[in-house]
Amino acid sequence: MTEMEISLRPGTRDDVEWIAELRAEVLRADLVRLGRYDEVRVRERLRRGFLPEHTRVIVVDGVDAGSITTRIEDGDRWIEHLYLAPRLQGRGVGSRVLQTVLSEPHTGDTRLLVLRGSAARRLYERHGFVRDHEDDVDVAMVRRGASERVTAAYARRAAEYAEHLGSMSSVHPSDQALVTAWASTVDGPLLDAGCGPGHWTAYLAAIGHEARGVDRVPEFVEHARREHPGVPFAVADVDALPDEPETFGGVLAWYSLIHHDPAALRRPLEEFARVLRPGGGLLVGFFTGSDVEPFDHAVATAHRWPVERLATAVSEAGFDVVETSVRAASPATPRPHGAIVARRHDRADALTTPARRRGPR
């Protein structure tokens, strides 16, 4: 069987009538079952709320076959008016359209309404939506933003993670040497952004630096405060740090960006640039690969980055990349690792060509 060609085109005001007719056809059985079907109202509601600038038409093999609307409200993405010609239902079209929309950059939650008892609910559940609440007609469903899902995943395994990876004894010697050397070049307080159980923050404080750790996972912050009294820790999001501009001399982001969707990575990098003083230092640790690609991390989906691609992203966020390094995989650490040392721009003629160092860090 030939695979269907599926695409999305921008909606126009001319699409309103045929989409209103499609809505009436698609929703009729469920609305009749619920005692809510009205020949006029089912079409009029679409006409009144139709927003062509937020609507895309589903095109299958060159023929208009459905619609989907997305809009942002109070930080949440709403999916509405997802209708598909009955002849194409159950053939994977709706799933592919949802995958396309859900892959588009958005850090908040995604929400939608589905009629009670509708078979469409199973489609949404397969794509990570869960029931939020319901009334006599609609079930409100939500798909938590990636950051919320990652936070919840780490919260569930915080004690296990801290036990196995929450001390300097679990750190590779090359990593410790690199972070130590980098910190010695930094002038001013250090922020451990995404500090996890807090062992790196405590280590930096122990070797004489003014260091502070932040993490989205309250369980990690509670552990860090308990294990390292006297070292400041706080619950905070690297995408929206609470600190004033130019607060820190250095930011350590040691594997704290690996769960960010690649399209959303610029946000924390620009936050780091904002809270760093001019010329302040940034050190990023990450997993390397031949392409930007997701993989099944033990806790939540993470991403590999080619060193050059991540170095470019760092540069574009307001930094001069000073040096990059890689550490090859080994039986103890089966994934190749990378690190980028950068400085916040403090001049117009920013460096664009980083040095490259291979081998143990």
Side-chain angles (χ1 to χ4, degrees):
M1 179 181 292
T2 304
E3 183 176 358
M4 290 180 289
E5 182 179 335
I6 302 170
S7 61
L8 297 172
R9 69 164 175 83
T12 70
R13 178 57 61 182
D14 293 338
D15 292 312
V16 63
E17 287 302 324
W18 74 264
I19 295 177
E21 290 301 319
L22 179 61
R23 181 178 195 266
E25 180 182 12
V26 169
L27 297 186
R28 185 178 190 280
D30 283 325
L31 288 173
V32 168
R33 174 178 51 80
L34 294 167
R36 295 299 183 104
Y37 186 73
D38 181 289
E39 286 280 357
V40 175
R41 187 170 59 188
V42 71
R43 295 168 172 82
E44 195 58 33
R45 287 191 65 178
L46 187 284
R47 295 183 184 112
R48 288 200 309 267
F50 186 70
L51 299 170
E53 66 272 23
H54 296 305
T55 300
R56 282 173 283 182
V57 171
I58 303 168
V59 182
V60 180
D61 292 336
V63 179
D64 293 347
S67 68
I68 186 168
T69 296
T70 57
R71 62 181 178 85
I72 304 299
E73 181 179 313
D74 296 331
D76 291 339
R77 175 172 56 190
W78 280 86
I79 293 178
E80 299 169 320
H81 303 307
L82 175 50
Y83 310 125
L84 185 65
R87 64 183 175 82
L88 294 170
Q89 292 177 10
R91 299 176 62 184
V93 178
S95 184
R96 285 174 59 180
V97 170
L98 266 182
Q99 287 174 352
T100 297
V101 170
L102 293 174
S103 69
E104 294 168 349
H106 178 67
T107 57
D109 295 342
T110 300
R111 297 181 179 274
L112 56 81
L113 298 175
V114 61
L115 291 172
R116 290 186 63 177
S118 171
R121 179 170 176 173
R122 293 194 294 274
L123 168 66
Y124 302 136
E125 288 173 340
R126 289 198 301 272
H127 288 270
F129 287 87
V130 297
R131 175 190 175 279
D132 188 35
H133 62 275
E134 61 185 273
D135 58 24
D136 292 342
V137 178
D138 294 310
V139 179
M141 305 189 74
V142 60
R143 185 179 190 266
R144 297 299 178 191
S147 58
E148 294 296 337
R149 295 195 300 273
V150 170
T151 299
Y154 273 100
R156 288 191 296 269
R157 303 185 65 175
E160 176 190 0
Y161 186 98
E163 179 182 357
H164 293 286
L165 297 171
S167 70
M168 293 304 294
S169 62
S170 66
V171 171
H172 193 284
S174 296
D175 292 347
Q176 184 170 346
L178 176 65
V179 173
T180 303
W182 167 79
S184 71
T185 69
V186 171
D187 180 19
L190 300 176
L191 176 66
D192 185 2
C195 64
H199 51 296
W200 277 112
T201 320
Y203 170 75
L204 291 168
I207 62 174
H209 297 281
E210 180 186 348
R212 173 174 176 260
V214 297
D215 202 279
R216 281 183 58 96
V217 182
E219 290 81 356
F220 276 155
V221 173
E222 291 170 8
H223 172 91
R225 289 170 173 167
R226 183 170 61 251
E227 295 296 315
H228 310 293
V231 179
F233 295 96
V235 176
D237 187 348
V238 298
D239 288 350
L241 293 167
D243 306 282
E244 294 295 320
E246 301 185 8
T247 297
F248 298 100
V251 171
L252 175 66
W254 202 244
Y255 294 85
S256 57
L257 304 180
I258 62 172
H259 298 294
H260 271 70
D261 185 277
L265 190 68
R266 187 173 181 121
R267 185 170 179 176
L269 291 174
E270 289 183 340
E271 272 294 272
F272 299 158
R274 182 184 67 82
V275 301
L276 277 169
R277 300 167 182 173
L282 173 67
L283 174 55
V284 180
F286 59 101
F287 294 111
T288 65
S290 59
D291 200 359
V292 179
E293 58 185 1
F295 69 91
D296 292 330
H297 183 273
V299 179
T301 299
H303 289 83
R304 302 183 184 93
W305 281 80
V307 175
E308 294 81 2
R309 292 278 297 278
L310 188 54
T312 297
V314 170
S315 295
E316 291 174 347
F319 292 91
D320 301 327
V321 174
V322 177
E323 182 179 29
T324 67
S325 61
V326 295
R327 172 160 56 81
S330 67
T333 55
R335 298 188 185 103
H337 298 255
I340 293 173
V341 177
R343 294 192 187 96
R344 187 193 138 175
H345 290 170
D346 61 353
R347 62 189 187 284
D349 56 335
L351 297 175
T352 57
T353 306
R356 182 69 181 268
R357 173 162 58 91
R358 288 191 172 272
R361 297 203 298 250

